Amino acid sequence: MTHPCAPASPEPGPPPAAEESGLSNPGQPASEPAPAPDATPVQVETPAGAQGANPVASRSGRAYEGVVQWVEDGIVSGRLRVGDVLPAERDLAAQLAVSRAVVREGVRALHAIGVVDSRVGAGAAGGTVITAVPTEALNRFLRMHVALAQFSLLDVVDVRCSLEGLSARLAARNATDADHARLADLITAMRDDDLPPDVFNACDTDFHVAIARAAGNALATDLTVAIRESMRSPIRHGMNHVDDWPAVRARLREEHEAIAAALADGDGSRAADLLDAHIRRASEQLLGDGAQAAGDTA
């Protein structure tokens, strides 16, 4: 029987680099049928007074970041939308007054964060296309930045409590029978006294993520997943080194059960209060006195 705390899906590898001759994806066979969007390449408007100069490189210490900035500005302003095709590498390089290598590097950076995708094909069927950022790409980006930024534990805990409190209130109203069943399965799994701390931690993470998903707010879910995942290693470390792990485990189970019961009763305020107390108490006991930063796994 499949354990309810299934391991996380492997992280997708980095996107393939663009070909030297253009922006097509060399990892995609040329014979594969390509989608044929109606979008046409977006026309680049070179800033006034920038002729003969580099209109983007001066905005960043690294030239390729100017290409990324140009795309970002276009998305924020609404000039670039999902499905729009960027100009061909040669055209974009000429109009932004940078080399094709700089454009290529900028496109690679945009690939890495999931903002663009490359399609093989002639004319409008091919090229580099603005795409909606996949949830996993956003989660990975947030996880890394939360971990690397070394935010104080108090900052992380406060944000977690706010986000998960919102999720609890929404989940109390929006959770389906399947959502409640998922929480019940995770609680049952955590009742196993032989469960190693690492697996218990996986179940614990899944429990919090399941509440966020039951809320029905995609942004709150992604932020909750990213922050909770960024805390996975330090929490696991705490579970492996805390005094009297069986007693801590029993308390965590009881708190999870109370939260799930409040959600099943449709009492979002109580569930939010219980989550707040649960997160703060567990963080204090498993992560120390607050001096440890979010990304510190030592």
Side-chain angles (χ1 to χ4, degrees):
M1 183 175 63
T2 303
H3 197 284
C5 305
S9 301
E11 294 286 353
E19 289 182 344
E20 290 297 313
S21 59
L23 300 180
S24 60
N25 186 340
Q28 200 173 10
S31 59
E32 182 179 335
D38 295 330
T40 56
V42 176
Q43 295 300 312
V44 181
E45 295 182 4
T46 303
Q51 299 297 335
N54 186 328
V56 293
S58 61
R59 300 169 65 182
S60 169
R62 289 173 290 187
Y64 83 90
E65 291 182 354
V67 178
V68 174
Q69 183 68 54
W70 178 83
V71 172
E72 179 184 336
D73 290 346
I75 292 171
V76 171
S77 69
R79 176 170 49 83
L80 293 175
R81 301 179 183 278
V82 172
D84 285 347
V85 182
L86 294 185
E89 182 183 283
R90 180 184 294 105
D91 296 338
L92 189 54
Q95 294 181 66
L96 293 182
V98 297
S99 69
R100 293 178 64 177
V102 167
V103 171
R104 200 173 302 128
E105 191 173 0
V107 170
R108 287 193 184 108
L110 292 165
H111 267 294
I113 58 176
V115 172
V116 300
D117 190 20
S118 293
R119 295 174 178 170
V120 176
T128 300
V129 182
I130 301 294
T131 183
V133 178
T135 293
E136 179 52 39
L138 177 60
N139 286 347
R140 187 188 315 120
F141 178 82
L142 289 171
R143 281 198 303 270
M144 289 190 293
H145 277 274
V146 169
L148 289 173
Q150 295 286 289
F151 295 111
S152 73
L153 177 60
L154 181 59
D155 286 348
V156 176
V157 168
D158 283 345
V159 172
R160 274 196 70 194
C161 288
S162 296
L163 279 171
E164 297 198 35
L166 169 65
S167 292
R169 291 181 176 87
L170 292 173
R173 184 172 70 236
N174 299 331
T176 64
D177 290 343
D179 293 324
H180 291 299
R182 173 63 174 160
L183 294 175
D185 287 344
L186 290 167
I187 288 171
T188 298
M190 285 185 276
R191 290 192 183 120
D192 182 356
D193 288 338
D194 294 326
L195 211 60
D198 286 359
V199 180
F200 189 98
N201 183 38
C203 288
D204 189 299
T205 300
D206 289 349
F207 180 85
H208 288 268
V209 170
I211 293 173
R213 289 191 171 131
N217 184 306
L219 180 57
T221 299
D222 284 351
L223 292 172
T224 297
V225 170
I227 293 174
R228 183 57 180 82
E229 285 290 342
S230 75
M231 299 297 294
R232 182 188 288 266
S233 291
I235 289 174
R236 181 177 62 236
H237 178 272
M239 288 179 175
N240 280 308
H241 293 84
V242 70
D243 293 333
D244 197 0
W245 164 241
V248 173
R249 179 183 58 204
R251 181 178 55 74
L252 293 173
R253 288 172 183 161
E254 292 174 0
E255 291 174 357
H256 288 153
E257 290 169 359
I259 292 164
L263 291 174
D265 290 340
D267 192 341
S269 294
R270 176 163 173 72
D273 289 343
L274 289 169
L275 264 169
D276 187 286
H278 166 70
I279 292 169
R280 294 185 188 281
R281 186 160 41 236
S283 297
E284 181 179 356
Q285 188 155 21
L286 297 175
L287 301 178
D289 60 5
Q292 185 180 35
D296 184 5
T297 60

